[in-house]
Amino acid sequence: MAEAPKKAWQWVTVNEFERPAVPTVITVKKWWQNFTHWLSPESENDEQDEHENAFELKLDEAIKELDSVFSDWLNDKDDNSLRWVIAPPHSGVAEAIQHWAQQNNMSTMKLPDRNTLCQPSDPPSPKFTKTKVWLMPQLAHTFLRQTNGLRWTREFFAKVLSGEAGKGLIVCDSWAWAFLEKVWPVPVSELWTLQGLDDQALERIGLARGEGRLRALAALSRGNPGIAAAYSDRYHRNSDKAFELPQLPQEAEDATAFVCYALLVHHGLTSSQLAQVLPIVSASQLQIQLQILQQQSLISKQDTASKDSLWYITARGYPVVRDFLASRGFWLDKF
């Protein structure tokens, strides 16, 4: 009997996470030069749409697969343990978890107001609904990397790790988690994420066929489905360029790296919050950096409920920014 194909969407522990075994984003540009020489004739002749728009990532199957890893835990009334999920930027992990939590009638915790986290008075304490299983939708939005900006998160850790918060599911951006692990070593045994998608998995979720195209997407995205989807319209079959990558500003400097790193660690910041966590960068220089990064499509604004818009690293800009930070020795996430 033929072996059943692997499912595209697989939830695994962080220790089981694997990136696609293909060239990394650092080498993909050089690797591309040899790409057309080993593209098979069959893939070359396939009728393929040259995507005019980026692929719309659908998470229905990923949400269904969460039942296989979390349903027993969720339904066990005697189990009051925690589950932690790490969400790489633009991966769809946080969105899938939130949909699954809603389907299962979980209570969503209210995030603290970031604009009050650094005020001299103590911020409001974390509130837990002990009568229901609760969801922390994004731990990255509960702190600012500043002297007083970690108080709410420290209290959150103290309560959940002591067992007094009850049963909950905690989602945290991968860059925020890398930072929090350094300042608060958390003994976590149930740390989950979405398995990296290789070229075959990318085809199963609906990305265009063709071994070379998908292997290149898997390489560039490091197995992140959201990044692969964002670049699905950037392939040029008859071009020397694999993808139209955003370019770093020619004047990129330390301040550029500090801004990019702060936006990743905090999963997005407003201009005023950015100024709080980067006091070493002058207000005028900060605005210059935001403008040039936006012009290069490396960052973008997202409207929020408040009057201040949130700056974040774009999906297409993420591989470029990650490579830039790696070259400057910044502490990276594990994905």
Side-chain angles (χ1 to χ4, degrees):
M1 181 180 294
E3 184 179 352
K6 288 184 179 180
K7 295 179 179 178
W9 303 102
Q10 300 180 62
W11 295 93
V12 296
T13 63
V14 167
N15 290 335
E16 297 172 316
F17 176 82
E18 296 179 352
R19 288 185 294 274
V22 290
T24 66
V25 67
I26 297 174
T27 60
V28 72
K29 290 181 180 178
K30 294 180 180 178
W31 170 74
W32 177 262
Q33 295 174 0
N34 298 322
F35 164 67
T36 53
H37 296 296
W38 53 263
L39 239 179
S40 69
E42 181 179 356
S43 334
E44 190 71 67
N45 294 329
D46 280 342
E47 291 185 7
Q48 301 178 22
D49 293 330
E50 299 297 338
H51 288 205
E52 295 180 358
N53 298 299
F55 178 77
E56 182 181 354
L57 192 63
K58 294 181 174 60
L59 298 170
D60 295 356
E61 292 302 318
I63 296 168
K64 288 180 182 178
E65 287 300 315
L66 283 166
D67 283 329
S68 65
V69 293
F70 290 142
S71 60
D72 289 345
W73 163 79
L74 181 66
N75 296 322
D76 188 343
K77 304 302 181 183
D78 297 323
D79 185 352
N80 284 321
S81 62
L82 303 170
R83 293 295 183 270
W84 305 71
V85 179
I86 306 304
H90 302 288
S91 63
V93 168
E95 292 81 359
I97 292 290
Q98 289 179 36
H99 279 290
W100 185 80
Q102 290 174 1
Q103 290 175 2
N104 288 278
N105 198 31
M106 294 172 64
S107 173
T108 300
M109 285 189 66
K110 183 179 179 181
L111 298 176
D113 181 357
R114 268 182 166 175
N115 294 321
T116 66
L117 290 177
C118 298
Q119 293 179 358
S121 58
D122 291 335
S125 297
K127 303 295 183 184
F128 301 92
T129 306
K130 297 182 182 179
T131 56
K132 297 173 64 176
V133 183
W134 49 264
L135 168 72
M136 159 51 72
Q138 186 49 265
L139 194 60
H141 283 172
T142 67
F143 70 90
L144 290 176
R145 197 182 63 158
Q146 202 254 12
T147 304
N148 292 324
L150 283 162
R151 292 173 297 172
W152 195 98
T153 309
R154 290 184 186 278
E155 186 175 352
F156 174 84
F157 276 134
K159 287 187 175 181
V160 299
L161 296 177
S162 68
E164 62 179 282
K167 184 173 183 175
L169 179 59
I170 302 160
V171 178
C172 186
D173 178 89
S174 59
W175 286 76
W177 185 254
F179 167 71
L180 291 172
E181 275 190 313
K182 293 182 67 178
V183 300
W184 189 292
V186 184
V188 175
S189 58
E190 290 287 349
L191 191 62
W192 293 80
T193 193
L194 190 64
Q195 183 63 286
L197 274 65
D198 59 15
D199 54 334
Q200 296 179 8
L202 290 177
E203 182 172 352
R204 291 190 191 103
I205 69 172
L207 284 170
R209 294 182 59 197
E211 180 185 15
R213 176 195 302 239
L214 294 181
R215 291 190 65 185
L217 281 173
L220 182 66
S221 66
R222 298 170 64 89
N224 183 320
I227 305 299
Y231 272 95
S232 62
D233 63 338
R234 301 285 113 175
Y235 173 91
H236 297 278
R237 178 171 298 281
N238 298 316
S239 172
D240 292 333
K241 296 180 180 179
F243 301 97
E244 294 177 4
L245 293 167
Q247 298 297 308
L248 285 166
Q250 290 184 352
E251 58 271 34
E253 55 182 21
D254 288 344
T256 313
F258 292 150
V259 169
C260 291
Y261 183 69
L263 293 181
L264 284 174
V265 166
H266 295 90
H267 193 60
L269 290 167
T270 66
S271 297
S272 58
Q273 293 164 357
L274 196 54
Q276 283 185 288
V277 302
L278 291 177
I280 61 173
V281 181
S282 68
S284 59
Q285 181 60 226
L286 194 57
Q287 289 306 312
I288 291 172
Q289 292 299 327
L290 290 174
Q291 288 173 12
I292 62 175
L293 287 168
Q294 185 181 34
Q295 288 171 359
Q296 299 298 113
S297 299
L298 296 171
I299 67 173
S300 185
K301 280 184 179 181
Q302 182 181 52
D303 292 334
T304 63
S306 66
K307 62 180 180 180
D308 293 329
S309 297
L310 203 68
W311 290 100
Y312 65 95
I313 304 295
T314 63
R316 285 177 178 158
Y318 180 67
V320 178
V321 169
R322 194 181 197 283
D323 194 7
F324 174 54
L325 294 177
S327 70
R328 287 182 166 253
F330 277 76
W331 187 264
L332 309 177
D333 75 346
K334 298 179 180 178
F335 302 90

